[in-house]
Amino acid sequence: MSPPPAAVIEPSLIILPDAAPSVVRDTQMRRQAFFAVVMAAMCIGFSAPLVRLADAGPAAIGFWRLFFALGPAMVWAYAEHRSRAHQARRAGATALRPSLRQVLLAMLAGVFFGADLIVFHKGLALTSTANALLLGNLAVVFVFLFGWLILRERPTRGLLIALALALTGTFIIIGSSAAGGGASGARPVSVIGDLLCVGAALAYAAYMLATRAVRRAGRGDAVPLGGGMVSLIASATGAVVCLAWAVAAGEVLVPQSLQGLLAVIGLGLIPHATGQGLATFALGRLPAGVISVVLLLQIVVGVALAALLFGEFPSLVVLAGGLLVVAGVTTARPG
């Protein structure tokens, strides 16, 4: 997936000789944000290959991934708390505390995120990396679909086109798996694995909606929960969900090799803490549509790493279905 067209970013890069300092500063921030979101996509792209290298159960991998991400989330949340407290002191006011409803919504988001990790890791074990990444990115389409079915938001023509493209691509990929032609290489594919990845996309869509509800719950007298605090609460809750599932399912909890240990540490620090952190940093400085489209680079990175490390090469049918999925996701995302 190529970066956004030049017309998207070039206007902010044109600086006249008499440009005001604020314009120069805004241009620099946009450049930094675009670089940050490209790096975020690169980091998130390591997720699926690292899961393959982790020799523990699917839910256990999710637990360790979130566990090793808690440290950076704590630092982020503490920095937000210090900043809010400082601003309140300067204003001569008392810093407001989050409401119970906000905390419960953040925990609900963590439950959905934990479910997403469990189902996605299980699906990844049963299908190819390309199938898992392409189907897992259906989450954005499902967010708009839920808005239509649950929130009664009137669907736009773009949404209907996005649904048609994404669902057609999904059926092509799953149909290829049913026919046994999903990938060339050592990795087998299965319809069950593909369907699990679709289920993971549904869970992640629910996580996105719950996170949106957390931020909206801050309107009124309660202080809005910052991204760091939401990440900390959701990650801690998701870790508990993953651990409870792993214990109940009798999974292998502890990585069995140094490679497996390094893989789960890498999952917590590279895709989760660094990747999501950079994306959050960019979100306040670039349009959400630009960020979400550039983040599709994670598919290219993940598939390329799987080809280099594991010899997984998607078939032409999967590539064709994947192009339709990406087209549908791109159409569904805000402009």
Side-chain angles (χ1 to χ4, degrees), residues 136-211:
N137 273 273
L138 288 169
V140 175
V141 179
F142 288 142
V143 168
F144 284 85
L145 182 60
F146 289 161
W148 176 16
L149 298 179
I150 300 176
L151 303 179
R152 302 301 180 185
E153 297 176 353
R154 185 176 180 179
T156 63
R157 179 181 301 178
L159 173 59
L160 297 177
I161 294 174
L163 287 174
L165 290 172
L167 292 178
T168 301
T170 300
F171 289 139
I172 290 175
I173 293 173
I174 295 177
S176 177
S177 297
S184 60
R187 177 63 53 182
V189 294
S190 71
V191 174
I192 294 177
D194 290 348
L195 292 176
L196 285 172
C197 291
V198 174
L202 285 167
Y204 192 76
Y207 160 75
M208 294 171 67
L209 292 173
T211 302

Side-chain angles (χ1 to χ4, degrees), residues 259-292:
Q259 170 188 292
L261 177 61
L262 293 176
V264 294
I265 293 175
L267 279 169
L269 299 182
I270 299 175
H272 198 87
T274 306
Q276 299 294 341
L278 288 172
T280 302
F281 165 80
L283 189 58
R285 295 164 175 81
L286 284 176
V290 173
I291 293 174
S292 56

Side-chain angles (χ1 to χ4, degrees), residues 96-97 99 101-102 214-224:
L96 296 175
R97 294 183 178 181
S99 66
R101 180 167 179 263
Q102 288 174 297
V214 174
R215 306 308 292 266
R216 289 181 175 179
R219 297 176 180 177
D221 296 333
V223 60

